[in-house]
Amino acid sequence: MDMKKASWLLQNKGFKMTKRREDILAFFAKEDKYQTAKDLYEYMETTYPGISFDTVYRNLHLYHDLGILESTDLNAEKHFRMNCGDHHHHHFICNTCGKTKKINLCPMDEVEKLLTKYMIDGHKFEVYGLCPTCQIA
């Protein structure tokens, strides 16, 4: 999702597009990787001294609830990234830097064959490891 679409979605759902919310979108739009609430807090603190963790968490959860951000649990911590919902795919996620790579393959084709009498509501498939850059470091 790009910033323009995310901004439209926020406003369409009745939320004001403030400079702070715009800066949060810019933070996630600039890099294709998962980031923590702490990462966002540190980024926002430089422009908004005294910003609270509550404000950061509220906005993260708002963006997640609206589908602007997607989340995953990485190293026992919630991480967020801009939703890339252009088409159905999954991700490889680097355990060290959080960078992602799309996987344009879905194991659900095989799973559905095994669960013929079950009603599946959704799924999430993620592969974790080290990206080529982090393998060298």
Side-chain angles (χ1 to χ4, degrees):
M1 180 175 302
D2 62 22
M3 284 187 56
K4 188 174 182 178
K5 184 174 181 181
S7 176
W8 176 86
L9 186 57
L10 268 169
Q11 292 176 32
N12 190 48
K13 295 293 183 177
F15 297 95
K16 286 183 182 177
M17 179 45 73
T18 63
K19 178 69 174 130
R20 188 179 292 182
R21 286 186 174 152
E22 187 177 322
D23 288 346
I24 292 171
L25 289 176
F27 172 76
F28 285 103
K30 73 178 179 171
E31 292 192 58
D32 186 23
K33 68 179 199 176
Y34 280 94
Q35 303 195 69
T36 65
K38 182 181 177 197
D39 297 330
L40 176 59
Y41 174 79
E42 289 171 356
Y43 171 80
M44 296 295 286
E45 245 266 304
T46 61
T47 307
Y48 305 97
I51 190 171
S52 70
F53 261 110
D54 284 346
T55 298
V56 168
Y57 278 110
R58 260 195 323 275
N59 281 285
L60 283 173
H61 289 289
L62 170 64
Y63 285 21
H64 185 262
D65 291 346
L66 293 176
I68 294 169
L69 297 179
E70 52 190 60
S71 68
T72 191
D73 290 318
L74 187 59
N75 300 321
E77 187 175 11
K78 183 80 78 182
H79 285 65
F80 299 88
R81 63 168 272 143
M82 192 72 88
N83 188 331
C84 55
D86 49 355
H87 68 281
H88 182 78
H89 63 275
H90 300 282
H91 292 117
F92 169 87
I93 305 167
C94 180
N95 285 322
T96 300
C97 69
K99 287 185 181 172
T100 63
K101 178 167 177 58
K102 287 183 185 178
I103 302 171
N104 290 314
L105 155 76
C106 184
M108 283 306 293
D109 299 334
E110 292 301 315
V111 171
E112 287 174 335
K113 292 177 189 173
L114 298 172
L115 299 173
T116 57
K117 295 184 181 187
Y118 294 80
M119 187 172 101
I120 299 169
D121 290 330
H123 70 281
K124 186 173 185 176
F125 178 71
E126 296 173 332
V127 178
Y128 302 94
L130 296 176
C131 70
T133 304
C134 290
Q135 289 178 46
I136 297 169

